[in-house]
Amino acid sequence: MRRAALALCCLLTAVPALAEDLPQGPKAPPPEPLPDAICDIAKPDSGDWLLGRWVAPYSKWEFKREAQGLTWTLEQKPDINRDLGYKQGTVIDGKVSELSACTFRLTAVENGETAFNFEGVLTDGGKIYGYATNKAGQGARWILRRQR
């Protein structure tokens, strides 16, 4: 096994162009733009499909039904989302501002300003592809899956 790994490393260092084509992260990012919705987005929905815990690399998301409607919490693990300016251990809370049977928009408000926006779409495979932006306009792409 070690010899195979060593041979692969030697091959990749010998041919740098091939090494550049390899995936750079733990998971491929969602496609741009987001996939088309698989549901009728004009129909209202209770959001039961969204409730519960979802995970993405280095983050946990939880969606709950509360008196004021659907709410969410995002907890960052390591500093993976430097693009948004958030550090390890950051917790963001907000509300689900728009919802259909397969799409949603999340917002978090801080000091009267929208501090975080997230737009997501549920795919046939049961994953959520989405984009987030902070108040400075910086963005990041996400793939969420149900926590096991």
Side-chain angles (χ1 to χ4, degrees):
M1 183 69 174
R2 286 185 183 181
R3 287 182 184 180
L6 181 60
L8 179 61
C9 287
C10 291
L11 176 64
L12 291 177
T13 57
V15 186
L18 290 176
E20 291 172 6
D21 292 337
L22 293 174
Q24 299 300 313
K27 304 267 183 195
E32 283 190 65
L34 290 175
D36 291 331
I38 57 173
C39 67
D40 182 355
I41 61 172
K43 288 185 178 179
D45 190 82
S46 67
D48 289 342
W49 64 272
L50 185 57
L51 295 175
R53 292 191 172 128
W54 295 78
V55 293
Y58 309 106
S59 65
K60 293 183 206 176
W61 298 69
E62 186 169 7
F63 295 87
K64 295 180 183 178
R65 186 174 312 281
E66 296 189 4
Q68 69 269 29
L70 291 179
T71 62
W72 58 273
T73 300
L74 162 62
E75 180 184 335
Q76 289 295 121
K77 291 180 187 173
D79 187 19
I80 190 66
N81 286 307
R82 291 180 297 272
D83 293 342
L84 291 173
Y86 300 118
K87 294 185 169 63
Q88 178 177 351
T90 297
V91 176
I92 306 169
D93 296 307
K95 66 177 187 164
V96 178
S97 54
E98 294 177 28
L99 182 66
S100 77
C102 66
T103 64
F104 62 93
R105 181 179 302 273
L106 308 176
T107 55
V109 177
E110 183 178 279
N111 299 326
E113 285 187 324
T114 300
F116 183 87
N117 270 315
F118 183 91
E119 185 176 337
V121 62
L122 183 67
T123 66
D124 286 335
K127 292 182 179 179
I128 293 173
Y129 290 167
Y131 294 104
T133 55
N134 66 8
K135 63 183 171 185
Q138 299 160 313
R141 297 185 286 169
W142 299 74
I143 297 176
L144 306 177
R145 65 170 174 77
R146 280 270 178 211
Q147 185 176 8
R148 294 181 193 145

